[in-house]
Amino acid sequence: MAIVPLAALIVHSTEHLAAHTGAALGGLLNATFGNLPELIIAVVALRAGLVDMVRASLVGAVLAKLAPGARASAFLLGGLRHRVQEYNPAAARSYATMMLLASLSMVVPSAFHRFLGGPSPGTRRRSTPAW
């Protein structure tokens, strides 16, 4: 609960900076510092030895960014008011590429660990077949 005011302060600060620096730099600042509370929680959890919680938090953050329902409802609500909507195809490709890279950066190491890594600490390997 203590991190909620910090998150609100970060959002307010980046919006204030965006008003003075312009849309491009403001968007970059918002994207950079918007995940700072998640980073703080991850560092505290890692210090406490909660690695699985950090992994779940990172996957949840990526899935929340990918939330297709929010984007679809934005198009729907925008279409109700404006018949013709325009978007920047280059920016859409750029965002899609960034999300693909973010997803792959978590999937590939997890797959290598799952299939090529050693056994989990709580599992034992059997020397004879189970049949």
Side-chain angles (χ1 to χ4, degrees):
M1 293 307 281
I3 200 107
V4 173
L6 176 63
L9 181 64
I10 290 171
V11 168
H12 180 70
S13 309
T14 54
E15 287 176 358
H16 186 70
L17 282 172
H20 293 290
T21 59
L25 188 57
L28 179 65
L29 288 171
N30 193 12
T32 303
F33 293 116
N35 295 326
L36 191 61
E38 293 169 352
L39 180 64
I40 293 169
I41 291 172
V43 168
V44 170
L46 280 175
R47 283 188 166 187
L50 302 172
V51 177
D52 289 335
M53 184 181 129
V54 174
R55 287 182 188 152
S57 173
L58 289 174
V59 169
V62 168
L63 290 177
K65 300 290 185 200
L66 288 174
R71 288 178 179 83
S73 63
F75 276 115
L76 175 70
L77 293 175
L80 293 175
R81 185 167 184 181
H82 306 285
R83 288 289 186 201
V84 177
Q85 296 184 52
E86 295 180 13
Y87 69 97
N88 185 350
R93 278 192 299 272
S94 175
Y95 295 145
T97 303
M98 286 190 286
M99 292 310 298
L100 177 67
L101 289 174
S103 300
L104 286 175
S105 71
M106 288 192 294
V107 168
V108 171
S110 297
F112 272 103
H113 179 72
R114 171 83 172 136
F115 296 116
L116 300 176
S120 298
T123 61
R124 292 184 288 164
R125 290 193 182 236
R126 294 183 177 168
S127 59
T128 58
W131 62 85

